[in-house]
Amino acid sequence: MTVQTVRRAAEREALAMPAVVVSTTWLTDHMVRIRLYADDVEKFDYAGPDQLVRLFFPPRPDAELRLPISARWWPEVCAMPESIRPIVRNYTVRSVDVAAGELDIDFVLHGDDGPASAWARRAVPGDKIGILFDGARFDPPPTTRRMLLVGDETALPAISAALEQLDASIEVLALLEVEDAGAELELAHPPGADIRWLHRAPAGAARGALVLAELRAARLEPRHCYAWVAGESSLATSVRRHLVNERGFGKEQVYFCGYWRQD
């Protein structure tokens, strides 16, 4: 894909659909890729590398999965009795194969501390889940010549997809803050892309501290540059603040999103 304004998902009736696990592939000790099949994937209007999907999990491992049936799905979920109410979480679509009716979701695992992690680490083919497609926010202007991609483990699916789709003429700097070398992935990327893995361990740096230090030392020209930043909330907000307040980026040049919050 050449850099252009990425079309957001068209406004349409968003309906939850059932899906089933096809396969699981362990990418690292703490990340697993789960391939899902759904009959209605051909209706999916992919809008960009950070394409959002809402996942519906059973309230308990032994519970039947109940999905909302209307476009006003959130009020419907909230009105369900707690005993049958599905758990809803947001994830990024790593890739989609419309012809096969399949899509991949990469899960960062943190034991059983969260319902999505608990489900993903035990998922086997045949397990059921619900999916609902939403929009994407990756939106570089047509004049973009340079791109900054920043994130932690939770942003790797979107950053990986973006790197695969970028034209070779784009100058890319990617700052990827992960726990240690064991969390690194093989990434397809344009020739010449500058991919930097930053390890929090063993020093145990605070979220975003390594990225900010690397940014302050980097040569980064804001003109014709688009920045996409996501991950832990303090990482995303501190990088955006640095780019706008200290590096001369316009606010419209920086997309940032806190995917989760530490503690």
Side-chain angles (χ1 to χ4, degrees):
M1 154 182 109
T2 57
V3 170
Q4 55 186 332
T5 299
V6 176
R7 174 178 47 82
R8 287 182 173 86
E11 290 190 8
R12 60 193 183 279
E13 191 174 73
L15 298 174
M17 65 181 74
V20 62
V21 174
V22 174
S23 64
T24 61
T25 303
W26 287 85
L27 305 178
T28 70
D29 289 344
H30 299 287
M31 180 175 283
V32 62
R33 176 168 297 162
I34 297 184
R35 179 159 296 176
L36 302 171
Y37 171 83
D39 289 336
D40 292 332
V41 168
E42 71 272 7
K43 299 178 182 178
F44 176 32
D45 187 17
Y46 184 83
D50 58 351
Q51 176 70 52
L52 175 67
V53 64
R54 302 181 191 273
L55 301 182
F56 297 79
F57 303 94
R60 302 176 310 281
D62 59 344
E64 178 184 358
L65 178 63
R66 301 282 293 272
L67 298 178
I69 61 174
S70 72
R72 298 186 70 251
W73 62 272
W74 181 242
E76 188 178 343
V77 166
C78 292
M80 292 181 182
E82 187 175 353
S83 60
I84 64 170
R85 184 187 304 145
I87 297 167
V88 185
R89 293 292 185 270
N90 296 342
Y91 273 81
T92 303
V93 175
R94 176 60 182 84
S95 63
V96 60
D97 184 340
V98 174
E102 296 177 344
L103 64 148
D104 289 340
I105 308 288
D106 292 351
F107 290 80
V108 177
L109 303 181
H110 41 89
D112 289 343
D113 290 342
S117 176
W119 179 88
R121 65 195 295 259
R122 296 179 176 86
V124 296
D127 284 355
K128 296 178 181 179
I129 194 173
I131 57 177
L132 186 148
F133 297 111
D134 207 326
R137 297 294 181 268
F138 185 86
D139 195 15
T143 56
T144 299
R145 298 294 177 265
R146 285 173 289 277
M147 188 167 296
L148 174 67
L149 302 172
V150 180
D152 61 12
E153 291 91 338
T154 61
L156 284 180
I159 292 176
S160 300
L163 288 170
E164 289 175 354
Q165 298 172 30
L166 286 177
D167 188 85
S169 65
I170 303 301
E171 181 182 324
V172 181
L173 172 60
L175 303 180
L176 310 175
E177 185 182 290
V178 297
E179 186 65 18
D180 53 35
E184 295 184 15
L185 301 176
E186 290 290 333
L187 302 180
H189 56 76
D194 187 354
I195 311 296
R196 305 183 190 179
W197 293 95
L198 310 174
H199 301 157
R200 290 186 296 271
R207 299 278 175 171
L210 297 175
V211 164
L212 280 176
E214 196 75 13
L215 269 178
R216 289 192 169 103
R219 296 183 60 185
L220 190 62
E221 170 57 54
R223 188 167 182 265
H224 298 314
C225 186
Y226 175 77
W228 186 96
V229 186
E232 198 278 327
S233 180
S234 61
L235 180 153
T237 55
S238 62
V239 169
R240 189 253 191 186
R241 191 178 302 116
H242 168 77
L243 293 175
V244 173
N245 295 343
E246 300 179 37
R247 301 303 287 267
F249 276 69
K251 293 180 179 180
E252 73 284 354
Q253 290 178 264
V254 183
Y255 171 77
F256 74 110
C257 183
Y259 280 173
W260 63 286
R261 186 181 297 277
Q262 183 75 42
D263 300 328

